[in-house]
Amino acid sequence: MGKTLELSIPGRYESIKDACVFVIKGAGEAGFKDDDLFHIELACDEACTNVIEHSYGAENKGDIRVAWEYDDLSFTITISDDGLPFQPSDIAVPVIPSDREDLDHLKVGGLGIYFMRKLMDEVSFESGETSGNILVMVKRRPNSSQ
Amino acid sequence: MKFKQRSLSESVWFIVVDGRIDQLSTPELEDTFNKALEAGHIRLVIDLAGVNYINSGGLRSLLTIRRQARARGGDVVMINFTSQLTQLFAVMGFDNVFRILPDQEAALKVLSGD
C-alpha cells in the first residue's frame, strides 16, 4: 500500500527545514530510521539548496514543490521548480583526494549533487526546454529485497 | 548556533560548536572561525560533539577554514564526532580530508607536534 503527499515552500533557505521535516515525516511512515532518516533529510536539504542557488540563482525567486510517495519497495522524493533549466552535467564533479594533506587537489564544486547521489539510491534530473526542473530521488525501503 | 572558545595551550585554540550546521548558520560559523584566524589562532581544535547535522555547505566551510589555517602555517583538527557525523563523513569520503581525532588530548598532541 502506498501514499503520496505534496508541499510547496518559498525558495528561501529558512524554509528548507520545513521541506525536510515534511519529507522525513513521510520517510518515518515508510519505515526508515536513524541514519537513513538523517540521510534523507540531508538529500532534501541539498536538493532545495540547489534549486535556490542554481535554478533560481538567489532566494525569493520562486517556490519549490516537494512531494513524497512510497510503495512496497521504495520511498521517492520529487522536487520541482520554475527556475532556469538545470544541467547537472554543467556542475563540476568533486575530486576528493585520498591524502588529507593534499588539500590543493581537492575540488568541491558540485558537492550538493555529490551528497544526493551518495545518500540516495537513485537520483535523476529532468528539465523543461525554457524553464522548470524536476528532481527525483529514490531510496529503497528498509527490508526491501530489491 | 552557539560557540565556546578558549586556549588549550600556548599555541592551540579550542572552539566548541553547538547546533545545526546548514545554509542558515554557515555564515555565522565562517565569521567565528575567520575572527579566530585573524586573531592569530592558526592551530584550531574544533569540538563537534554538539553538532548532529551538517550539510555540504557546512563541509565546504570547514574545508575552507582548514585551508586558510594551513596557508598561515597552522592546521585544524576536529574532535568528539557524534556517530551520525562519523558515519556521514565516512560515506562522503571526507574522513580522508579532515583530521578527525577522538578527544582534546589527541588533538593537542597532533597540533603541538608531539
Side-chain angles (χ1 to χ4, degrees):
Chain A
M1 196 173 78
K3 186 173 177 181
T4 306
L5 277 179
E6 285 185 25
L7 173 76
S8 181
I9 61 162
R12 289 200 298 266
Y13 293 130
E14 66 180 22
S15 299
I16 291 177
K17 185 88 194 291
D18 295 338
C20 294
V21 167
F22 168 74
V23 166
I24 57 173
K25 191 175 174 214
E29 273 187 31
F32 292 97
K33 296 188 187 313
D34 305 326
D35 281 342
D36 278 341
L37 285 179
F38 174 46
H39 292 175
I40 290 167
E41 179 180 8
L42 258 178
C44 176
D45 179 350
E46 300 296 342
C48 293
T49 301
N50 252 24
V51 169
I52 294 171
E53 292 184 349
H54 296 292
S55 302
Y56 288 128
E59 290 187 277
N60 299 312
K61 298 288 184 186
D63 290 341
I64 303 171
R65 293 177 295 282
V66 182
W68 57 257
E69 62 184 310
Y70 64 84
D71 58 23
D72 290 342
L73 294 179
S74 57
F75 181 74
T76 302
I77 308 166
T78 304
I79 293 180
S80 51
D81 65 75
D82 304 309
L84 290 173
F86 171 72
Q87 297 298 332
S89 56
D90 292 344
I91 305 289
V93 177
V95 177
I96 298 174
S98 56
D99 180 355
R100 66 171 62 91
E101 305 310 317
D102 186 21
L103 287 184
D104 293 339
H105 291 99
L106 174 60
K107 294 181 172 50
V108 289
L111 207 51
I113 295 174
Y114 176 75
F115 261 58
M116 287 182 247
R117 292 199 194 281
K118 283 277 186 183
L119 297 172
M120 301 295 282
D121 293 315
E122 294 171 34
V123 177
S124 62
F125 293 87
E126 193 180 306
S127 299
E129 277 192 23
T130 55
S131 71
N133 299 281
I134 300 170
L135 164 66
V136 179
M137 300 188 286
V138 178
K139 198 162 186 78
R140 282 187 290 278
R141 288 183 68 187
N143 304 320
S144 155
S145 57
Q146 292 185 28
Chain B
M1 176 165 285
K2 290 178 185 168
F3 301 93
K4 283 182 191 165
Q5 305 188 48
R6 66 181 170 88
S7 66
L8 273 189
S9 74
E10 210 169 282
S11 63
V12 179
W13 194 248
F14 182 54
I15 302 180
V16 180
V17 183
D18 189 6
R20 182 184 169 94
I21 302 179
D22 59 14
Q23 226 58 26
L24 284 179
S25 61
T26 293
E28 191 185 356
L29 181 85
E30 289 178 351
D31 187 52
T32 300
F33 285 110
N34 284 332
K35 280 180 179 159
L37 289 176
E38 282 163 16
H41 303 306
I42 58 170
R43 291 180 186 82
L44 295 173
V45 178
I46 304 175
D47 186 325
L48 294 178
V51 175
N52 55 20
Y53 188 93
I54 181 166
N55 68 4
S56 67
L59 268 179
R60 200 179 291 115
S61 294
L62 289 177
L63 180 68
T64 302
I65 290 154
R66 183 163 187 232
R67 272 185 169 145
Q68 288 173 343
R70 283 163 60 93
R72 294 169 188 235
D75 205 347
V76 172
V77 302
M78 299 191 288
I79 63 169
N80 283 336
F81 269 37
T82 62
S83 60
Q84 249 181 351
L85 243 57
T86 301
Q87 204 254 1
L88 177 70
F89 273 59
V91 168
M92 293 299 157
F94 272 79
D95 49 348
N96 279 325
V97 173
F98 294 103
R99 281 183 161 225
I100 301 165
L101 297 168
D103 52 30
Q104 280 184 27
E105 193 183 352
L108 207 47
K109 271 187 185 171
V110 166
L111 288 181
S112 303
D114 289 354

